[in-house]
Amino acid sequence: MRFVFVTIIFCLLFSVFLYPAIGQAKPDTSANNAVLIEQSTGRVLYEKNAHDKRSIASITKIMTAIIAIESGKMDEMATVSKRAVYAGGSSIYLEQGEKMKLKDLVYGLMLRSGNDAAVAIAEHVGGSVEGFSYLMNEKARWLGMTNTEFDNPHGLDSESHYSTAYDMALLMRYAMTNDLFKKITGTTTYKASTREYAWRNKNKLLTSYYDYCTGGKTGFTKKAGRTLVSTAHKKDMDLIAVTLNAPDDWQDHIGMYEWAFDTYNMTSILKKGEKTYQINGDEKITSGFINRNVTYPLDDQELEKISKKTFLLEQGSQRDQAIIGKTIFYLDETPISEVPIFSGTQHRTKDNLFTETASILQRMVGLY
C-alpha cells in the first residue's frame, strides 16, 4: 500500500514538471533572437537576445513598404530598371522597361517578397537605391531603432545591413498604425492590374497555420537564416512577434502568442472622464478631464502592483494651457504609462490630439 502511495505521488510530481501549468512557463523558442510585444503599449512580454545586431533578410521590406505607402505615390506608375530585374533572389518576375503601379509593387514586395519590386520601389520613391536607403535610415532613427542600419531595400546580405529583434518590433508597431499597410500585410492573395494570375502571401501563419494572425513578413538568406515578423489579435489584444535565425519560426510564433494570450489580459487601469485632484496635498480641489481609457497588458498578479502619481502644473507654467497636469502609472517602480490631464470637463479636441501626439513623438526621438 505504501509503495502504491509513493508511486502515485511520484507520478503526480513528474506530471507537474513535464506539463507545467498553462500560462506559467515562458515558451522556449528555436530562434537565436526573439521578442514579443503588445502593440498599443509597446510592453515587452518575451525576449531572447532581443537587442543583438543580426542580419535580417527580407523582413527589411517592412520598412520599404511603409516608406512607399507614406510617399503619397501609390497610384503612380513606376518604370522597372535593369538593376531591378537583376536584383537576384526572390522575384515577381518584372521585365526591364515594364511599368507597374507602385501599389502593385508594394503588394508584390510584401506578399511574394520580390527583390525586383524592392529595387523598383526604391528607385521610384528615393531616386535610387542609395537615396532610398538614406530615407530608410532616417526613418529608423526617427522611430528609435538605435541598433539598425539599412543599405538596401530588400534585405540581401551585407555587412552594413542589420537590425535587432526589438528594433524590428518597433518598426512593425509603427507600420501597423497605417491602415493601408495593415490591409496589405493582412492580404492572403492579390492580383496586380498587369498580371493574369494572383499572388499568394508567403506568410503561412496568415494563410494556413494560425487563425489569429493578422499580418507579417517572412525572410531568409543563408547568413540570416529564417527571419519572421508577424502580428496577431485575440481577446482585445494585439501582439507583434519577431524571430531571427529561427529554424522553427512558425511554431515559435504560435507558442509565444498562445502563451501571451493565456497569461495576459488588456486590463483597465483608468477610465476617461472628469476627475478631481488635490493640489499639493492641501484642501484645494481642482477638476480635470482624462480624454481616453488607459489599458495595459497585465497578468493575474500584476494588477495589485500598479500605482500612480499625479502631477499638477502651476497656473501659467504649462506649454499648453488646456493641459493642467499628468498622471504616471507604475508597475512596481517602473513607469508604464503617462496620461495628460485636461482642464475642467474639456473633451479631446483636434488641437489637444495634435499636442499630445507631438509630445509623444518628441519623446520617441529624444527631443525632451
Side-chain angles (χ1 to χ4, degrees):
M1 185 68 179
R2 182 179 179 183
F3 174 77
V4 173
F5 177 76
V6 171
T7 301
I8 292 173
I9 295 297
F10 175 80
C11 291
L12 288 173
L13 289 173
F14 181 76
S15 67
V16 167
F17 286 109
L18 185 60
Y19 302 106
I22 295 174
Q24 297 301 312
K26 288 188 176 183
D28 183 18
T29 60
S30 72
N32 190 73
N33 312 85
V35 73
L36 178 72
I37 70 170
E38 193 279 316
Q39 184 174 315
S40 66
T41 62
R43 183 183 184 185
V44 175
L45 305 178
Y46 173 88
E47 61 180 317
K48 178 181 179 182
N49 304 321
H51 299 281
D52 292 353
K53 296 176 182 178
R54 293 286 184 264
S55 296
I56 56 173
S58 285
I59 60 175
T60 295
K61 291 165 183 163
I62 296 169
M63 179 65 89
T64 305
I66 192 62
I67 291 177
I69 291 168
E70 292 180 342
S71 72
K73 299 180 178 183
M74 290 289 275
D75 290 326
E76 293 182 5
M77 299 297 289
T79 302
V80 178
S81 70
K82 181 178 179 180
R83 185 175 184 178
V85 172
Y86 288 94
S90 56
S91 173
I92 59 170
Y93 306 105
L94 296 172
E95 297 182 1
Q96 186 173 346
E98 177 182 357
K99 295 183 183 296
M100 182 176 283
K101 188 176 289 188
L102 189 67
K103 181 178 74 172
D104 290 346
L105 287 171
V106 173
Y107 271 98
L109 175 87
M110 290 297 291
L111 272 63
R112 299 305 301 167
S113 204
N115 293 335
D116 49 356
V119 174
I121 291 167
E123 292 178 332
H124 187 77
V125 175
S128 66
V129 168
E130 292 73 23
F132 191 82
S133 298
Y134 174 82
L135 297 178
M136 296 172 77
N137 286 313
E138 287 296 297
K139 190 73 170 184
R141 281 188 279 272
W142 184 78
L143 290 172
M145 299 170 67
T146 56
N147 292 306
T148 297
E149 186 72 25
F150 296 111
D151 75 359
N152 65 67
H154 38 62
L156 291 176
D157 293 333
S158 166
E159 291 299 321
S160 55
H161 189 95
Y162 54 83
S163 188
T164 69
Y166 178 74
D167 278 6
M168 293 306 296
L170 287 183
L171 173 59
M172 192 62 167
R173 184 187 178 200
Y174 171 79
M176 288 297 285
T177 64
N178 183 286
D179 289 339
L180 182 54
F181 178 91
K182 192 173 181 178
K183 177 182 177 181
I184 293 172
T185 194
T187 297
T188 56
T189 59
Y190 179 81
K191 183 179 177 299
S193 58
T194 57
R195 291 292 184 268
E196 295 181 356
Y197 53 88
W199 291 318
R200 183 169 174 80
N201 201 322
K202 288 185 175 183
N203 179 6
K204 292 184 180 180
L205 282 182
L206 180 71
T207 60
S208 304
Y209 294 158
Y210 193 57
D211 290 341
Y212 304 105
C213 182
T214 57
K217 182 70 191 75
T218 61
F220 174 79
T221 66
K222 288 184 178 180
K223 180 180 179 181
R226 293 177 63 88
T227 63
L228 180 63
V229 176
S230 71
T231 59
H233 173 83
K234 184 180 179 182
K235 296 196 312 181
D236 298 322
M237 187 184 303
D238 291 290
L239 301 179
I240 297 170
V242 182
T243 50
L244 307 180
N245 192 10
D248 198 13
D249 51 5
W250 305 125
Q251 289 303 315
D252 286 347
H253 284 232
I254 292 171
M256 286 191 289
Y257 285 141
E258 287 300 291
W259 166 78
F261 286 134
D262 185 67
T263 303
Y264 295 93
N265 291 289
M266 294 304 295
T267 306
S268 174
I269 56 178
L270 181 67
K271 293 185 176 181
K272 67 180 180 180
E274 186 176 2
K275 313 291 179 184
T276 57
Y277 303 93
Q278 281 190 315
I279 298 178
N280 299 326
D282 59 25
E283 295 181 356
K284 186 177 179 181
I285 301 294
T286 188
S287 64
F289 189 83
I290 301 298
N291 63 355
R292 61 183 175 88
N293 295 321
V294 182
T295 59
Y296 200 75
L298 299 171
D299 66 27
D300 292 339
Q301 288 76 43
E302 288 176 333
L303 183 58
E304 300 175 357
K305 302 176 183 178
I306 296 291
S307 61
K308 65 180 180 179
K309 294 180 182 179
T310 297
F311 302 89
L312 297 175
L313 300 174
E314 296 293 336
Q315 187 173 3
S317 66
Q318 60 268 37
R319 297 181 184 183
D320 183 346
Q321 296 297 312
I323 298 177
I324 63 171
K326 62 183 178 181
T327 296
I328 301 176
F329 291 89
Y330 299 84
L331 176 56
D332 290 325
E333 300 299 322
T334 303
I336 60 172
S337 184
E338 180 178 314
V339 186
I341 303 169
F342 294 95
S343 60
T345 58
Q346 178 172 318
H347 292 265
R348 187 174 200 166
T349 65
K350 290 183 179 180
D351 288 340
N352 291 336
L353 174 61
F354 175 80
T355 300
E356 183 184 350
T357 303
S359 175
I360 292 171
L361 293 178
Q362 285 174 322
R363 287 196 297 274
M364 283 175 62
V365 298
L367 294 181
Y368 68 82

